Amino acid sequence: MTKTDTPTQSPAPAPIIHLRTVDSTNAYCQRRAQELPCPCVVLADEQTAGRGRQGRSWHSPDGENLYLSILLPLPQADSHLPALPMAAALAGLDALTAVGVTGAWIKWPNDLLIENRKIMGVLIETCRGRGSRELAVVGIGMNLDMSAADLAAIDRPATSVRAEAGRDVERAELLQALIAAFFAAWEQAQTGGAAALQPRWSAASRLLGRSVQVELPNETLSGTVTAFATDGSLCLRLRDGSDRRVQAGDVHLRPL
Ligand code: BTN
Protein backbone atom coordinates (compact mmCIF):
# COMPACT_ATOMS: atom_id res chain seq x y z
CA MET A 1 0.00 0.00 0.00
CA THR A 2 1.36 3.44 -0.82
CA LYS A 3 0.81 6.46 1.36
CA THR A 4 -1.36 8.71 -0.68
CA ASP A 5 -4.77 10.20 -0.58
CA THR A 6 -5.82 8.72 -3.87
CA PRO A 7 -7.38 5.25 -4.16
CA THR A 8 -4.96 2.34 -4.50
CA GLN A 9 -5.65 -1.09 -5.96
CA SER A 10 -6.19 -3.81 -3.40
CA PRO A 11 -7.78 -7.22 -3.26
CA ALA A 12 -10.27 -5.77 -0.77
CA PRO A 13 -13.91 -5.34 -1.80
CA ALA A 14 -13.39 -1.56 -1.81
CA PRO A 15 -10.48 0.77 -2.58
CA ILE A 16 -8.26 1.63 0.37
CA ILE A 17 -7.11 5.22 0.79
CA HIS A 18 -4.04 5.24 2.99
CA LEU A 19 -3.17 8.48 4.79
CA ARG A 20 -0.09 9.00 6.90
CA THR A 21 -1.71 11.38 9.32
CA VAL A 22 -5.16 12.91 9.61
CA ASP A 23 -7.26 14.48 12.33
CA SER A 24 -9.81 11.65 12.20
CA THR A 25 -10.58 9.16 9.42
CA ASN A 26 -14.29 9.67 10.17
CA ALA A 27 -13.93 13.46 9.84
CA TYR A 28 -11.95 12.99 6.61
CA CYS A 29 -14.75 10.86 5.12
CA GLN A 30 -17.33 13.43 6.13
CA ARG A 31 -15.32 16.33 4.63
CA ARG A 32 -14.63 14.51 1.36
CA ALA A 33 -17.81 12.49 1.00
CA GLN A 34 -18.61 14.19 -2.32
CA GLU A 35 -15.30 13.18 -3.92
CA LEU A 36 -14.51 9.81 -2.39
CA PRO A 37 -15.47 6.57 -4.11
CA CYS A 38 -18.26 4.84 -2.27
CA PRO A 39 -17.75 2.31 -0.83
CA CYS A 40 -14.16 2.91 0.20
CA VAL A 41 -11.92 2.42 3.21
CA VAL A 42 -9.88 5.29 4.65
CA LEU A 43 -6.92 4.11 6.72
CA ALA A 44 -4.50 6.31 8.68
CA ASP A 45 -1.21 5.63 10.46
CA GLU A 46 -1.98 8.32 13.00
CA GLN A 47 -4.96 10.44 14.04
CA THR A 48 -4.39 13.76 15.74
CA ALA A 49 -8.00 14.15 16.85
CA GLY A 50 -9.39 10.60 16.87
CA ARG A 51 -13.04 10.54 17.91
CA GLY A 52 -14.67 8.06 20.27
CA ARG A 53 -18.30 7.49 21.19
CA GLN A 54 -20.17 9.90 23.49
CA GLY A 55 -17.86 12.80 22.56
CA ARG A 56 -14.77 11.07 23.91
CA SER A 57 -11.43 11.13 22.12
CA TRP A 58 -9.70 8.02 20.71
CA HIS A 59 -6.00 7.85 21.53
CA SER A 60 -4.34 7.29 18.13
CA PRO A 61 -0.53 7.18 18.35
CA ASP A 62 1.50 6.92 15.15
CA GLY A 63 1.91 3.47 13.59
CA GLU A 64 0.74 1.46 16.56
CA ASN A 65 -2.85 0.57 15.72
CA LEU A 66 -5.58 0.25 13.11
CA TYR A 67 -7.57 3.42 12.48
CA LEU A 68 -9.99 3.14 9.60
CA SER A 69 -13.34 4.34 8.35
CA ILE A 70 -15.54 2.52 5.89
CA LEU A 71 -17.68 4.83 3.78
CA LEU A 72 -20.75 3.18 2.30
CA PRO A 73 -24.30 4.01 1.29
CA LEU A 74 -26.66 4.19 4.24
CA PRO A 75 -29.22 1.41 3.87
CA GLN A 76 -32.60 2.59 2.62
CA ALA A 77 -34.59 0.39 4.97
CA ASP A 78 -34.52 1.37 8.65
CA SER A 79 -34.57 -2.32 9.53
CA HIS A 80 -31.13 -2.69 7.90
CA LEU A 81 -29.48 0.12 9.92
CA PRO A 82 -28.60 -1.94 13.02
CA ALA A 83 -26.68 -4.27 10.71
CA LEU A 84 -23.90 -1.66 10.57
CA PRO A 85 -22.73 -1.90 14.19
CA MET A 86 -23.33 -5.65 14.13
CA ALA A 87 -21.23 -6.12 10.97
CA ALA A 88 -18.43 -3.99 12.46
CA ALA A 89 -18.32 -5.94 15.71
CA LEU A 90 -18.50 -9.32 13.97
CA ALA A 91 -15.78 -8.28 11.52
CA GLY A 92 -13.55 -7.36 14.45
CA LEU A 93 -14.14 -10.73 16.06
CA ASP A 94 -13.40 -12.57 12.80
CA ALA A 95 -10.22 -10.55 12.25
CA LEU A 96 -9.02 -11.30 15.77
CA THR A 97 -9.72 -15.00 15.29
CA ALA A 98 -7.86 -14.92 11.96
CA VAL A 99 -4.70 -13.70 13.70
CA GLY A 100 -5.04 -16.16 16.58
CA VAL A 101 -6.65 -13.97 19.25
CA THR A 102 -9.49 -15.80 20.96
CA GLY A 103 -11.72 -14.91 23.87
CA ALA A 104 -12.97 -11.54 22.60
CA TRP A 105 -16.60 -10.68 23.23
CA ILE A 106 -18.96 -7.92 22.16
CA LYS A 107 -19.90 -5.39 24.80
CA TRP A 108 -23.13 -3.90 23.53
CA PRO A 109 -23.42 -2.40 21.08
CA ASN A 110 -20.06 -2.90 19.38
CA ASP A 111 -17.05 -2.65 21.66
CA LEU A 112 -14.76 -5.67 21.63
CA LEU A 113 -13.23 -6.67 24.92
CA ILE A 114 -10.98 -9.41 26.20
CA GLU A 115 -12.13 -10.00 29.76
CA ASN A 116 -12.60 -6.36 30.82
CA ARG A 117 -9.93 -4.92 28.53
CA LYS A 118 -11.04 -3.05 25.42
CA ILE A 119 -9.34 -3.96 22.16
CA MET A 120 -11.66 -2.38 19.55
CA GLY A 121 -14.18 0.44 19.39
CA VAL A 122 -16.61 1.56 16.69
CA LEU A 123 -18.02 5.00 15.95
CA ILE A 124 -20.73 5.20 13.30
CA GLU A 125 -21.60 8.59 11.86
CA THR A 126 -23.38 9.79 8.74
CA CYS A 127 -22.81 12.34 5.99
CA ARG A 128 -24.09 13.33 2.54
CA GLY A 129 -22.34 12.15 -0.60
CA ARG A 130 -22.92 12.97 -4.25
CA GLY A 131 -26.48 13.91 -5.09
CA SER A 132 -27.17 14.36 -1.37
CA ARG A 133 -27.14 10.61 -0.94
CA GLU A 134 -26.99 9.62 2.73
CA LEU A 135 -23.81 7.75 3.58
CA ALA A 136 -22.62 5.87 6.64
CA VAL A 137 -19.12 6.28 8.07
CA VAL A 138 -18.18 3.19 10.06
CA GLY A 139 -15.10 4.15 12.07
CA ILE A 140 -13.14 1.30 13.61
CA GLY A 141 -10.18 1.57 15.95
CA MET A 142 -8.33 -1.57 16.97
CA ASN A 143 -5.36 -1.61 19.31
CA LEU A 144 -2.62 -3.51 17.54
CA ASP A 145 0.76 -2.82 19.07
CA MET A 146 0.38 -0.19 21.75
CA SER A 147 3.25 0.54 24.08
CA ALA A 148 2.67 0.08 27.80
CA ALA A 149 2.80 3.89 28.14
CA ASP A 150 0.14 4.36 25.47
CA LEU A 151 -2.10 1.68 27.01
CA ALA A 152 -1.72 3.40 30.37
CA ALA A 153 -2.77 6.73 28.80
CA ILE A 154 -6.25 5.30 28.19
CA ASP A 155 -8.67 5.99 31.02
CA ARG A 156 -10.19 2.46 30.93
CA PRO A 157 -8.63 -1.01 30.89
CA ALA A 158 -7.29 -1.68 27.39
CA THR A 159 -5.25 -4.29 25.59
CA SER A 160 -3.77 -4.87 22.16
CA VAL A 161 -3.57 -7.63 19.55
CA ARG A 162 0.13 -8.05 20.20
CA ALA A 163 -0.36 -8.41 23.95
CA GLU A 164 -3.11 -11.00 23.43
CA ALA A 165 -1.53 -12.92 20.53
CA GLY A 166 1.88 -12.94 22.18
CA ARG A 167 3.51 -12.15 18.85
CA ASP A 168 3.84 -9.36 16.30
CA VAL A 169 0.88 -9.23 13.93
CA GLU A 170 1.20 -7.40 10.61
CA ARG A 171 -1.23 -4.52 10.34
CA ALA A 172 -1.94 -5.44 6.70
CA GLU A 173 -2.96 -8.97 7.70
CA LEU A 174 -5.38 -7.70 10.34
CA LEU A 175 -6.74 -5.02 8.00
CA GLN A 176 -7.44 -7.45 5.15
CA ALA A 177 -9.19 -9.88 7.50
CA LEU A 178 -11.27 -7.07 9.03
CA ILE A 179 -12.35 -5.56 5.73
CA ALA A 180 -13.15 -8.92 4.12
CA ALA A 181 -15.24 -9.95 7.14
CA PHE A 182 -17.02 -6.59 7.28
CA PHE A 183 -18.07 -6.70 3.62
CA ALA A 184 -19.08 -10.38 3.90
CA ALA A 185 -21.35 -9.55 6.85
CA TRP A 186 -22.64 -6.45 5.08
CA GLU A 187 -23.46 -8.52 1.99
CA GLN A 188 -25.38 -10.95 4.17
CA ALA A 189 -27.36 -8.04 5.64
CA GLN A 190 -28.25 -6.70 2.17
CA THR A 191 -30.70 -9.56 1.78
CA GLY A 192 -31.48 -10.63 5.33
CA GLY A 193 -31.25 -7.23 7.09
CA ALA A 194 -29.99 -6.97 10.66
CA ALA A 195 -31.88 -10.17 11.49
CA ALA A 196 -29.32 -12.10 9.42
CA LEU A 197 -26.48 -10.98 11.74
CA GLN A 198 -28.34 -10.69 15.03
CA PRO A 199 -28.03 -14.33 16.21
CA ARG A 200 -24.22 -14.39 15.91
CA TRP A 201 -23.87 -10.87 17.27
CA SER A 202 -26.09 -11.66 20.23
CA ALA A 203 -24.30 -14.95 20.93
CA ALA A 204 -20.94 -13.16 21.03
CA SER A 205 -22.11 -10.93 23.87
CA ARG A 206 -21.53 -11.86 27.48
CA LEU A 207 -24.17 -9.54 28.83
CA LEU A 208 -27.21 -11.81 28.78
CA GLY A 209 -28.48 -12.28 32.33
CA ARG A 210 -25.91 -9.81 33.68
CA SER A 211 -26.69 -6.97 35.99
CA VAL A 212 -25.74 -3.69 34.32
CA GLN A 213 -26.00 0.06 34.58
CA VAL A 214 -26.75 1.88 31.36
CA GLU A 215 -25.84 5.55 31.11
CA LEU A 216 -28.26 7.49 28.94
CA PRO A 217 -28.00 11.22 28.25
CA ASN A 218 -30.46 12.12 31.02
CA GLU A 219 -30.68 9.07 33.27
CA THR A 220 -28.91 5.94 34.40
CA LEU A 221 -30.81 2.65 34.31
CA SER A 222 -30.02 -0.34 36.51
CA GLY A 223 -31.30 -3.75 35.54
CA THR A 224 -30.67 -7.17 34.08
CA VAL A 225 -30.07 -7.79 30.38
CA THR A 226 -32.84 -10.06 29.10
CA ALA A 227 -32.21 -10.01 25.33
CA PHE A 228 -30.80 -8.22 22.31
CA ALA A 229 -33.54 -7.26 19.89
CA THR A 230 -33.28 -7.73 16.13
CA ASP A 231 -33.20 -3.94 15.81
CA GLY A 232 -30.00 -3.92 17.86
CA SER A 233 -31.52 -2.54 21.05
CA LEU A 234 -30.68 -3.80 24.51
CA CYS A 235 -33.62 -5.26 26.46
CA LEU A 236 -33.52 -4.64 30.18
CA ARG A 237 -35.62 -5.77 33.13
CA LEU A 238 -35.41 -2.90 35.62
CA ARG A 239 -35.35 -3.31 39.38
CA ASP A 240 -39.06 -2.42 39.65
CA GLY A 241 -39.91 -5.31 37.27
CA SER A 242 -40.64 -3.11 34.26
CA ASP A 243 -39.02 -3.72 30.86
CA ARG A 244 -37.09 -1.10 28.86
CA ARG A 245 -35.48 -1.20 25.46
CA VAL A 246 -32.43 0.99 24.95
CA GLN A 247 -31.18 2.06 21.52
CA ALA A 248 -27.91 3.69 22.57
CA GLY A 249 -26.00 4.17 25.79
CA ASP A 250 -22.91 3.26 27.74
CA VAL A 251 -23.09 -0.07 29.56
CA HIS A 252 -21.27 -0.71 32.83
CA LEU A 253 -21.18 -4.21 34.22
CA ARG A 254 -22.06 -4.60 37.88
CA PRO A 255 -19.98 -7.14 39.79
CA LEU A 256 -21.38 -10.71 39.76
C1 BTN B 1 -15.29 4.15 20.87
O1 BTN B 1 -15.42 5.14 21.58
O2 BTN B 1 -15.22 3.02 21.32
C2 BTN B 1 -15.23 4.32 19.36
C3 BTN B 1 -13.85 4.52 18.88
C4 BTN B 1 -13.74 4.63 17.37
C5 BTN B 1 -12.34 4.99 16.92
C6 BTN B 1 -12.20 4.97 15.43
S1 BTN B 1 -10.52 5.10 14.94
C7 BTN B 1 -11.01 5.33 13.28
C8 BTN B 1 -12.24 6.20 13.28
N1 BTN B 1 -11.88 7.60 13.26
C9 BTN B 1 -12.20 8.21 14.41
O3 BTN B 1 -11.96 9.40 14.65
N2 BTN B 1 -12.79 7.36 15.24
C10 BTN B 1 -12.92 6.05 14.66
Side-chain angles (χ1 to χ4, degrees):
M1 236 177 301
T2 53
K3 290 178 183 172
T4 169
D5 63 358
T6 53
T8 55
Q9 286 302 329
S10 81
I16 297 174
I17 294 149
H18 187 178
L19 309 172
R20 218 208 68 66
T21 185
V22 71
D23 51 353
S24 146
T25 54
N26 271 30
Y28 180 91
C29 285
Q30 289 175 317
R31 277 196 302 273
R32 303 221 175 176
Q34 307 275 336
E35 309 135 42
L36 287 170
C38 185
C40 74
V41 177
V42 174
L43 171 78
D45 295 342
E46 174 192 49
Q47 296 186 121
T48 54
R51 300 175 181 168
R53 288 177 60 234
Q54 318 272 3
R56 288 191 285 263
S57 59
W58 186 257
H59 188 48
S60 309
D62 193 3
E64 294 188 18
N65 300 315
L66 262 189
Y67 317 114
L68 66 128
S69 298
I70 303 171
L71 184 70
L72 75 174
L74 200 67
Q76 301 287 321
D78 281 354
S79 61
H80 283 40
L81 280 177
L84 282 170
M86 293 179 191
L90 290 171
L93 278 185
D94 287 345
L96 288 173
T97 306
V99 299
V101 175
T102 53
W105 60 284
I106 300 172
K107 179 165 167 275
W108 182 84
N110 46 28
D111 281 354
L112 291 191
L113 275 74
I114 302 208
E115 292 172 3
N116 69 334
R117 304 182 297 277
K118 183 155 163 172
I119 196 163
M120 187 185 104
V122 179
L123 174 68
I124 301 181
E125 299 181 296
T126 56
C127 58
R128 297 250 173 214
R130 288 190 199 98
S132 284
R133 187 171 188 195
E134 268 205 291
L135 307 180
V137 182
V138 181
I140 302 177
M142 190 184 279
N143 300 336
L144 176 58
D145 185 14
M146 279 189 127
S147 65
D150 278 324
L151 281 174
I154 302 173
D155 59 353
R156 295 169 183 212
T159 189
S160 69
V161 172
R162 179 159 177 241
E164 299 300 327
R167 67 174 179 99
D168 284 337
V169 171
E170 285 295 318
R171 185 173 65 167
E173 182 189 353
L174 192 67
L175 176 73
Q176 295 296 346
L178 183 69
I179 296 174
F182 178 85
F183 281 100
W186 187 239
E187 184 69 38
Q188 216 185 327
Q190 294 305 304
T191 41
L197 306 181
Q198 192 269 352
R200 230 193 114 206
W201 172 75
S202 164
S205 165
R206 297 213 180 134
L207 293 181
L208 267 186
R210 292 290 305 266
S211 208
V212 295
Q213 279 197 327
V214 186
E215 264 180 64
L216 305 178
N218 299 317
E219 60 179 328
T220 300
L221 303 175
S222 294
T224 304
V225 177
T226 54
F228 298 94
T230 312
D231 71 357
S233 53
L234 180 76
C235 306
L236 285 176
R237 169 85 27 94
L238 302 185
R239 289 221 184 103
D240 64 3
S242 63
D243 290 315
R244 273 284 284 274
R245 274 184 174 214
V246 181
Q247 302 277 355
D250 238 5
V251 175
H252 303 284
L253 278 167
R254 294 161 66 86
L256 281 169

